[in-house]
């Protein structure tokens, strides 16, 4: 007898949204279909439901009911990508996995014979649930004997359910509340008016009038629950990674010849990825050198693309920047892909007049030529010394911003030298500036918590040529240091 399993990740789009927005976990939260006030609410959490927010409402209506509602968009492409990733994880525990095409977060698995690999099917189900937890997902697992039976039990019970025989599954399914099954809300209301709240009571109704009285979806559930409709497991095969590999007869050292070969490989790679309706996010170049060492380089376009010319230009910049100690004997190109769809922006974005994609493409070329840390931005840090109150972090893309604000006075830019430049032992402020023009001292002290106290007096000292120096006197070393200048 076949053994089925169903893994249900309840409200998967909402779980994905809260996975990226952990700070929303304790707030009313919803998934909406688009970035517009009139967009429909698709999924809500319990806190939003307590405030009266329901799926099917307009986002503006939901905000009127819960002013602190947090909402976001989960793109179909993002949902499809996560479904594929979760299916790949589930294949570690069962060779045959079928993701549902119309119920996001529902997976059917073949559990036949797995009790020979695990002490019991309950232990196997616990391993599957733990795998989903490692992926950051909350899941329910049911093991039984029919497709609909394990689905109904997984939707009803939040933990693990294992049926030892078909009769046990049948009895358990009879007690499943209809509210746990994807039925039309109008059909649920009509059935509740008749006092029918479980699948057992629903199956006692005459089959002839189900479609006419309660609709097509209720009739489909009736057919599946009663065993009148059956479908075998239809597992989806995992996607094989697209990789291009070439071995050179003699070690290759010419960049021009390498670019010619890479172009040929990229053309076939782009065509294969385009057939899958995907786009290239990044390329990994794996090289084996003649001296038996390996080298791995990465190039990333500004946005997911299928433009082979743009990718080839980035590869050229990366290869020309390398100084290889010996020739290349093996070259492997491995792409990272994503579904080819427009990127979802935040809710109600303010679009800039300038095109940020042109800047992102320029940044991609800089990274390709000078390395991943060639494009960085300053991030404010927590430190008591002025020169340590920021740190540099890589930036992948320019965030979408509103148009720049026009100001009457241009702000001054402070150039910081790290480390500070020691000035001559005899240096004094009067050496470069008159005492009346010097601004300061601005005293900074502290550092006792790391074992060495610091006391510095900072000054802004103008010079005769118009330069404004930023210097400080270090009481510990008894001398001046040049921290930077103001431009």
């Amino acid at each position: 007898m076949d053994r089925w399993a169903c893994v249900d990740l309840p409200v998967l789009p909402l779980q994905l949204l809260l996975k990226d927005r952990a700070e929303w976990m304790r707030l009313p939260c919803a998934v909406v279909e688009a970035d517009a006030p009139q967009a429909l609410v698709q999924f809500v959490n319990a806190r939003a439901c307590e405030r009266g927010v329901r799926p099917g409402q307009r986002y503006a209506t939901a905000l009127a009911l819960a002013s602190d509602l947090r909402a976001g968009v989960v793109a179909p492409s993002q949902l499809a990508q996560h479904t594929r990733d979760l299916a790949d994880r589930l294949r570690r525990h069962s060779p045959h996995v079928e993701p549902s095409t119309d119920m996001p977060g529902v997976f059917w698995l073949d559990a036949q014979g797995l009790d020979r690999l695990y002490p019991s099917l309950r232990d196997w189900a616990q391993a599957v649930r733990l795998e989903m937890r490692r992926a950051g997902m909350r899941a329910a697992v049911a093991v039984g004997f029919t497709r609909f039976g394990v689905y109904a039990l997984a939707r009803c019970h939040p933990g693990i359910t294992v049926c030892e025989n078909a009769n046990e599954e049948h009895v358990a399914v009879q007690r499943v509340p209809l509210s746990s099954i994807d039925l039309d809300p109008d059909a649920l209301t009509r059935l509740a008016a008749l006092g029918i709240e479980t699948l057992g009571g629903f199956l006692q109704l005459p089959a002839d009038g189900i479609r006419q009285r309660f609709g097509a979806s209720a009739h489909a559930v009736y057919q599946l629950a009663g065993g009148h409709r059956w479908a075998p497991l239809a597992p989806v095969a995992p996607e094989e990674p697209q990789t291009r590999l070439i071995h050179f007869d003699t070690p290759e050292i010419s960049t021009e010849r390498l670019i010619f070969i890479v172009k040929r490989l990229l053309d076939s790679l782009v065509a294969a990825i385009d057939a899958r309706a995907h786009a290239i996010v990044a390329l990994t170049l794996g090289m084996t050198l003649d001296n038996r060492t390996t080298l791995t380089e990465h190039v990333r376009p500004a946005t997911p693309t299928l433009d082979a010319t743009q990718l080839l230009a980035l590869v050229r910049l990366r290869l020309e920047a390398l100084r290889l100690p010996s020739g290349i004997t093996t070259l492997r190109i491995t792409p990272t892909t994503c579904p080819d769809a427009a990127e979802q922006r935040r809710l109600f974005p303010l679009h800039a007049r300038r095109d940020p994609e042109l800047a992102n493409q320029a940044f991609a070329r800089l990274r390709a030529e000078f390395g991943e840390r060639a494009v960085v931005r300053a991030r404010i840090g927590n430190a008591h010394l002025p020169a340590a109150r920021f740190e540099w972090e890589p930036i992948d893309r320019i965030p979408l911003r509103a148009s720049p604000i026009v100001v009457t006075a241009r702000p001054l830019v402070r150039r910081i030298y790290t480390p500070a430049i020691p000035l001559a032992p005899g240096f004094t402020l009067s050496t470069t500036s008159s005492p009346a023009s010097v601004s300061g001292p601005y005293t900074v002290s502290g550092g006792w918590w790391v074992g060495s106290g610091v006391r510095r007096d900072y000054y802004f000292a103008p010079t005769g040529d118009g330069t404004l120096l930023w210097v400080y006197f270090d009481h510990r070393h008894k001398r001046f240091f040049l921290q930077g200048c103001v431009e």
Side-chain angles (χ1 to χ4, degrees), residues 159-392:
I160 295 174
T161 305
V162 179
C163 298
E164 300 299 335
N165 52 66
N167 183 62
E168 180 182 345
E169 179 190 291
H170 177 74
V171 173
V173 170
Q174 298 290 309
R175 298 194 295 264
V176 171
L178 287 175
S179 58
S180 301
I181 309 301
D182 285 333
L183 277 180
D184 184 80
D186 183 60
L188 283 175
T189 302
R190 294 183 181 185
L191 289 168
L194 297 175
I196 299 174
E197 297 181 348
T198 64
L199 276 171
F202 182 46
L203 291 176
Q204 291 178 6
L205 295 174
D208 296 339
I210 296 296
R211 178 185 293 273
Q212 181 179 359
R213 294 185 178 184
F214 305 107
S217 64
H219 182 259
V221 171
Y222 186 90
Q223 294 286 318
L224 291 170
H228 306 295
R229 182 184 298 180
W230 177 85
L233 186 70
V236 176
E239 293 184 357
E240 294 295 331
Q242 290 286 344
T243 301
R244 295 296 182 270
L245 175 67
I246 185 170
H247 298 278
F248 298 101
D249 294 333
T250 58
E252 186 59 71
I253 59 174
S254 172
T255 302
E256 292 300 325
R257 286 195 293 267
L258 283 173
I259 291 298
F260 180 79
I261 294 171
V262 169
K263 180 183 185 304
R264 179 161 51 89
L265 298 178
L266 275 180
D267 288 340
S268 65
L269 191 62
V270 167
I273 293 174
D274 187 21
R276 294 185 176 184
H278 279 209
I280 296 177
V281 177
L283 290 176
T284 300
L285 307 176
M287 293 166 279
T288 303
L289 305 184
D290 190 32
N291 59 4
R292 298 184 180 182
T293 61
T294 58
L295 182 65
T296 302
E297 296 292 333
H298 305 275
V299 295
R300 290 185 294 116
T303 56
T305 184
L306 290 171
D307 186 354
T309 303
Q310 181 186 157
L311 294 170
L312 187 64
L314 297 178
V315 172
R316 175 187 289 274
L317 290 171
R318 181 72 278 180
L319 292 178
E320 289 178 346
L322 296 177
R323 297 293 182 265
L324 299 179
S326 59
I328 299 174
T329 58
T330 302
L331 175 63
R332 182 190 301 270
I333 302 179
T334 304
T336 302
T337 64
C338 71
D340 187 10
E343 184 185 26
Q344 294 292 325
R345 304 297 186 182
R346 62 184 180 87
L347 291 177
F348 317 129
L350 298 175
H351 294 280
R353 287 194 295 264
R354 298 177 180 178
D355 186 1
E357 293 305 321
L358 296 178
N360 289 326
Q361 292 178 18
F363 286 169
R365 294 176 64 87
L366 289 173
R367 283 193 298 265
E369 185 171 0
F370 300 107
E372 287 293 315
R373 295 194 62 85
V375 182
V376 295
R377 65 179 175 184
R379 183 171 63 85
I380 296 177
N382 186 17
H384 71 287
L385 293 178
R389 290 178 183 171
F390 70 95
E391 55 186 16
W392 298 107

Side-chain angles (χ1 to χ4, degrees), residues 7 9 19 82-95 97 107 109 118 124 127-137 238:
V7 178
L9 283 68
K19 184 180 178 181
H82 279 88
T83 299
R84 284 189 290 269
D85 294 342
L86 292 170
D88 288 339
R89 283 179 170 269
L90 291 173
R91 289 189 187 95
R92 302 173 184 175
H93 302 275
S94 174
V97 177
F107 300 84
L109 286 73
Y118 293 82
W124 173 80
V128 171
R129 192 162 182 247
L130 180 60
E131 185 69 42
M132 295 295 96
R133 188 179 302 172
R134 292 195 188 101
M137 298 288 113

Side-chain angles (χ1 to χ4, degrees), residues 58-100:
R58 301 292 181 183
Y59 178 54
T61 303
L63 278 176
L65 295 172
S67 59
D68 56 343
L69 179 69
R70 301 295 187 269
V73 174
V74 178
S77 59
Q78 180 185 0
L79 183 60
Q81 181 62 44
H82 279 88
T83 299
R84 284 189 290 269
D85 294 342
L86 292 170
D88 288 339
R89 283 179 170 269
L90 291 173
R91 289 189 187 95
R92 302 173 184 175
H93 302 275
S94 174
H96 300 143
V97 177
E98 177 191 346
S100 174

Side-chain angles (χ1 to χ4, degrees), residues 4-8 100 103 106-108 142 146-157 169 173 176 180-183 221 224:
W4 288 72
C6 180
V7 178
D8 177 42
S100 174
M103 293 179 291
V106 175
F107 300 84
W108 283 280
T146 63
R147 173 190 286 268
F148 183 82
V150 293
Y151 161 72
L153 294 176
R155 295 299 297 265
C156 177
H157 302 289
E169 179 190 291
V173 170
V176 171
S180 301
I181 309 301
D182 285 333
L183 277 180
V221 171
L224 291 170

